[in-house]
Amino acid sequence: MAKSKKADPKAEAGKDKKKNTSLRLDGKTLKALKLRAIEEDSSVQQIVETLIDSYLNSPRKKDT
């Protein structure tokens, strides 16, 4: 008989609470971003998240 898979509460508690999104970039831009991430011992996800956090924490532009 096959065992049914049960959720491991410890594994569930440690799961990342992040959500997925999709981003379309020009091929040259994506390649350059991936290379830069490698050079900086980082990842595209880390770079994008850092840039977004910086943008969201900056003062809003005033309407003119």
Side-chain angles (χ1 to χ4, degrees):
M1 244 194 221
K3 290 184 179 180
S4 64
K5 292 185 179 181
K6 293 184 180 178
D8 179 1
K10 290 180 184 176
E12 290 294 320
K15 275 195 173 179
D16 198 351
K17 302 288 184 194
K18 296 183 180 190
K19 303 292 182 185
N20 288 328
T21 189
S22 177
L23 182 64
R24 296 176 57 88
L25 298 172
D26 177 75
K28 290 174 81 174
T29 301
L30 181 57
K31 183 176 181 179
L33 182 57
K34 287 180 177 182
L35 289 171
R36 181 80 174 259
I38 291 167
E39 290 169 0
E40 297 179 358
D41 194 28
S42 187
S43 69
V44 169
Q45 188 272 324
Q46 288 173 322
I47 292 170
V48 171
E49 189 168 11
T50 299
L51 292 169
I52 292 170
D53 286 343
S54 177
Y55 172 77
L56 292 175
N57 289 320
S58 67
R60 292 180 184 232
K61 293 181 181 178
K62 293 182 181 180
D63 290 333
T64 54

